[in-house]
Amino acid sequence: MAASVLNFQIIPPFQRLQLASPNTVNFPTATHKWHSKSSAPKMFRVKPLAVPEQGLQGAVSGVFDLIQATPPTWQSSFFSNLLIFIVGSPILVSGLSLSGIGSAFLLGTLTWRAFGASGFFLVALYFVIGTAVTKLKMAQKEAQGVAEKRKGRRGPGSVIGSSAAGCVCAFLSIFGMGGAAFFGLWQLGFVASFCTKLSDTVSSEVGKAYGKTTYLVTTFKVVPGGTEGAVSIEGTIAGLLASILLASIGCVMGEINVPEVVICVAASQIANLGESVIGAALQDKEGFRWLNNDAVNVINISIGSVLAILMQQLMLRN
């Protein structure tokens, strides 16, 4: 009977509590001895939550260090783009649909990776100016049936149509096509493509809003504003000034040099003239139904980009 008696030895809690290690607190239970083989007292091990040494401040500092990485990486491009998109979301929402914002985010990340902050700034400037002129006299343009759809909020097709040539130049630059000697050419083609598109957008929207007389470029006959292939003096001058502005800022930012400013402006005006001819002669015609505004935009900016590169090479040979 004595062999089956259970004896308890109660130890006061303040005597039992002990720190096993700086990071572990042991909470022992009451020690119980058996007349048979006894086991060691059971302990509950509780580990405190790990608190980062730097916390949120360190995380923010790490992100900003990543953003400032030189040369740009895919990570730095992504986070830079994300930060700017969050800050500029009110402007983005006013000018782009939700799917358009997604497409623009990809474009921004690619641009930053290829040409850094200066290249990204040029694209952002193109977007801000293009959105502003699209909304000029919106009510008047809607009444005339020549306004952009969705109050000027552009979708992914418009984003791609406006940036296709620039994206090609960015990819060629990222993957080092042609080596270091060709980097300047891809950069020039990139700037020229957006000079061309901005000039086209400003010319079209200012012409529809303020153009007094609109002429069909192939026949110079007077036609209603908004007619495909139509131009106005007011719109043409505004488009030229927009191209000069963007090319000049590209020069100040170090993307191109002074002679290349002239090349970008000249290439953009030739490309826009060609785009007007295509619009007047082929767009909406039988057999060319596929030639919508987005397709024409791709052709337009590609002409501007390629022309700028060819003109620069001809200039170097002479």
Side-chain angles (χ1 to χ4, degrees):
M1 186 71 176
S4 63
V5 174
L6 175 65
N7 295 329
F8 290 91
Q9 179 183 358
I10 306 299
I11 301 175
F14 66 87
Q15 293 181 7
R16 298 197 307 267
L17 185 62
Q18 54 181 322
L19 292 175
S21 69
N23 294 322
T24 304
V25 179
N26 297 331
F27 294 94
T29 59
T31 305
H32 37 277
K33 293 182 179 179
W34 300 81
H35 286 292
S36 59
K37 292 183 179 180
S38 61
S39 58
K42 296 180 179 180
M43 315 295 277
F44 294 96
R45 301 173 64 83
V46 180
K47 292 186 178 182
L49 293 174
V51 179
E53 295 181 2
Q54 296 179 332
L56 181 60
Q57 183 179 359
V60 173
S61 177
V63 170
F64 276 98
D65 288 342
L66 181 63
I67 288 173
Q68 297 171 10
T70 304
T73 64
W74 284 113
Q75 283 184 315
S76 68
S77 303
F78 175 85
F79 281 109
S80 301
N81 200 29
L82 180 62
L83 178 62
I84 293 171
F85 266 58
I86 292 173
V87 173
S89 56
I91 300 176
L92 289 167
V93 170
S94 69
L96 294 170
S97 65
L98 185 60
S99 55
I101 292 175
S103 301
F105 185 85
L106 295 177
L107 169 63
T109 302
L110 176 64
T111 298
W112 195 296
R113 174 63 180 82
F115 303 113
S118 58
F120 182 93
F121 180 77
L122 282 180
V123 177
L125 186 61
Y126 152 74
F127 171 74
V128 171
I129 297 175
T131 300
V133 297
T134 299
K135 296 184 181 298
L136 287 174
K137 293 193 174 184
M138 180 60 74
Q140 172 187 308
K141 288 186 284 190
E142 285 179 334
Q144 295 173 347
V146 296
E148 291 290 332
K149 299 177 181 178
R150 300 185 297 270
K151 297 288 184 180
R153 295 176 70 232
R154 302 176 187 273
S158 180
V159 173
I160 296 171
S162 301
S163 64
C167 288
V168 170
C169 291
F171 274 117
L172 292 173
S173 173
I174 291 170
F175 293 104
M177 297 299 294
F182 279 74
F183 176 79
L185 288 179
W186 310 142
Q187 207 165 21
L188 173 62
F190 173 83
V191 176
S193 71
F194 283 99
C195 285
T196 301
K197 185 52 194 162
L198 180 62
S199 179
D200 174 53
T201 300
V202 171
S203 177
S204 176
E205 296 300 331
V206 170
K208 288 186 287 188
Y210 299 102
K212 295 179 180 178
T213 307
T214 308
Y215 305 91
L216 193 65
V217 72
T218 52
T219 63
F220 289 100
K221 290 182 179 179
V222 177
V223 292
T227 302
E228 295 296 344
V231 297
S232 67
I233 294 175
E234 296 83 358
T236 301
I237 293 175
L240 173 63
L241 294 176
S243 178
I244 293 172
L245 174 64
L246 195 65
S248 298
I249 292 175
C251 181
V252 172
M253 299 290 289
E255 291 290 308
I256 55 177
N257 56 36
V258 175
E260 289 172 342
V261 170
V262 178
I263 289 175
C264 284
V265 173
S268 69
Q269 299 312 296
I270 295 172
N272 285 339
L273 178 61
E275 188 245 13
S276 296
V277 171
I278 292 172
L282 302 177
Q283 199 166 356
D284 293 331
K285 301 296 190 296
E286 190 66 32
F288 293 92
R289 299 297 181 187
W290 57 270
L291 200 62
N292 57 20
N293 285 334
D294 294 335
V296 172
N297 284 337
V298 172
I299 295 172
N300 181 31
I301 60 176
S302 298
I303 292 173
S305 183
V306 172
L307 268 179
I309 292 174
L310 293 176
M311 291 167 70
Q312 195 258 16
Q313 291 298 290
L314 288 174
M315 187 178 67
L316 289 178
R317 290 180 181 179
N318 292 331

